[in-house]
């Protein structure tokens, strides 16, 4: 680990210690994939249990709840979902994830306070720590040339989910390098290089073996490229190759 990674690992372990000693849940900031991987490597050092959530199923950026041995009340994560809408849809720019994140960072908000940002055609959802939610509603009035309004969404809003595209393919096996080669349209050797560079994560944990057998439901993320979820294999070709289904997060 680098010095920064060691500091993060020790900080997360210390949060676990605080939860154990004080008898109530203690929460981390939102963690990216690399930070989640550092956390996974620190699990043997934890003082108690933990849960993780990003606000919706399969969220990429996750917040960790460190738990005491006996938690006798419902767990409430300190984040909310807020929606961003253009004030005038007719003259609104086609905003991207980068545009929204840049606008939030320009307000001086730390990256760890912001979870996933889901961009739709005319509506954007952001998950953010409760300590910055009101500030965002007050101060985020424009993104690029588009005037916007920000409001809190209902907790069970059915539209808060990532856009995905269902795909099918044929692979030699469910090995990690084979699935990566299919999804990224690379050779097996090039896909293996991504793993060896430490760029590939399965359910937030960095994978070091190209021969890892992927299981249905697992999310595979590649730093700088994107992520997909392996759904199932559903038969074989006449040559014994696997037919698979997977969904790409767009």
């Amino acid at each position: 680990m680098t010095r920064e990674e060691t500091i993060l690992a020790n900080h997360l372990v210390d949060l676990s210690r605080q939860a154990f000693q004080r008898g109530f849940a203690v929460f981390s900031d939102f963690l990216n994939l690399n930070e989640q991987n550092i956390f996974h490597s620190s699990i043997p050092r934890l003082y108690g249990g933990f849960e993780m959530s990003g606000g919706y199923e399969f969220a990429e950026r996750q917040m960790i709840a460190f738990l005491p041995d006996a938690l006798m009340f419902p767990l409430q994560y300190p984040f909310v979902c807020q929606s961003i809408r253009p004030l005038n849809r007719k003259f609104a720019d086609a905003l991207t994830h980068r545009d929204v994140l840049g606008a939030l960072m320009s307000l001086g908000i730390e990256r760890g306070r912001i979870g996933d940002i889901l961009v739709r055609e005319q509506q954007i959802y952001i998950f953010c720590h409760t300590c910055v939610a009101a500030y965002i509603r007050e101060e985020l009035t424009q993104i690029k040339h588009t005037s916007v309004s920000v409001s809190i969404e209902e907790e069970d809003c059915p539209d808060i989910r990532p856009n995905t595209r269902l795909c099918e393919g044929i692979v030699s096996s469910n090995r990690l390098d084979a699935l990566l080669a299919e999804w990224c349209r690379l050779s097996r050797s090039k896909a293996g290089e991504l793993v060896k560079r430490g760029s590939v994560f399965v359910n937030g944990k960095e994978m070091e073996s190209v021969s890892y057998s992927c299981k249905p439901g697992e999310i595979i993320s590649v730093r700088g490229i994107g992520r997909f979820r392996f759904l199932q294999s559903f038969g074989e070709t006449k040559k014994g190759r696997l037919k698979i289904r997977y969904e790409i997060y767009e």
Side-chain angles (χ1 to χ4, degrees):
M1 286 188 184
T2 66
R3 180 175 179 274
E4 290 75 16
E5 290 173 339
T6 300
I7 291 173
L8 174 61
N10 290 338
H11 171 66
L12 295 174
V13 172
D14 185 58
L15 293 179
S16 174
R17 179 188 59 78
Q18 293 177 36
F20 177 78
Q21 292 179 343
R22 298 177 184 178
F24 57 79
V26 177
F27 300 89
S28 72
D29 282 343
F30 288 101
L31 304 182
N32 62 29
L33 288 173
N34 187 56
E35 292 165 337
Q36 290 173 45
N37 184 62
I38 293 169
F39 166 70
H40 285 300
S41 69
S42 304
I43 288 177
R45 299 168 56 198
L46 299 183
Y47 287 75
F50 70 92
E51 293 181 5
M52 299 177 68
S53 175
Y56 67 99
E57 190 176 17
F58 308 127
E60 180 170 322
R61 295 178 65 83
Q62 298 269 337
M63 182 179 286
I64 304 170
F66 296 97
L67 308 174
D69 287 339
L71 188 66
M72 303 302 294
F73 49 87
L75 188 62
Q76 180 66 50
Y77 282 84
F79 59 67
V80 297
C81 177
Q82 304 201 109
S83 62
I84 303 174
R85 297 178 176 87
L87 294 181
N88 191 326
R89 295 181 183 274
K90 182 177 180 180
F91 299 105
D93 294 318
L95 300 175
T96 66
H97 182 283
R98 183 185 297 271
D99 296 328
V100 179
L101 180 59
L104 291 169
M105 296 298 96
S106 69
L107 296 177
I109 299 173
E110 296 179 4
R111 186 65 180 95
R113 300 300 191 185
I114 304 297
D116 279 8
I117 300 171
L118 305 179
V119 179
R120 301 295 182 260
E121 289 186 3
Q122 292 291 337
Q123 187 166 347
I124 299 164
Y125 297 109
I126 60 170
F127 290 86
C128 62
H129 197 288
T130 51
C131 69
V132 298
Y135 177 69
I136 290 173
R137 292 196 301 274
E138 294 171 3
E139 299 297 328
L140 186 61
T141 58
Q142 185 168 319
I143 303 176
K144 293 183 68 175
H145 304 294
T146 300
S147 296
V148 299
S149 64
V150 184
S151 60
I152 293 181
E153 278 295 322
E154 294 296 330
E155 185 177 352
D156 59 350
C157 177
D159 294 324
I160 301 176
R161 58 176 69 111
N163 288 328
T164 59
R165 175 163 49 91
L166 183 63
C167 300
E168 294 185 354
I170 297 175
V171 296
S172 59
S173 71
N174 63 337
R175 278 175 45 133
L176 180 59
D177 57 350
L179 295 184
L180 287 172
E182 157 66 22
W183 172 50
C184 299
R185 297 295 186 262
L186 297 172
S187 65
R188 289 274 291 271
S189 61
K190 292 290 186 182
E193 289 176 8
L194 291 173
V195 177
K196 293 173 182 176
R197 290 205 302 263
S199 298
V200 179
F201 301 81
V202 176
N203 291 343
K205 184 176 182 180
E206 181 182 330
M207 301 306 298
E208 299 178 351
S209 173
V210 297
S211 61
Y212 173 78
S213 295
C214 296
K215 304 173 185 62
E218 289 185 322
I219 297 177
I220 296 94
S221 306
V222 182
R223 186 184 290 120
I225 296 179
R227 59 181 177 147
F228 71 100
R229 184 161 69 107
F230 175 46
L231 297 177
Q232 63 177 159
S233 57
F234 62 99
E236 296 184 355
T237 67
K238 293 180 179 179
K239 295 183 178 181
R241 291 166 63 83
L242 284 181
K243 299 177 182 179
I244 63 166
R245 290 191 180 96
Y246 59 99
E247 58 183 3
I248 298 174
Y249 291 80
E250 299 183 324

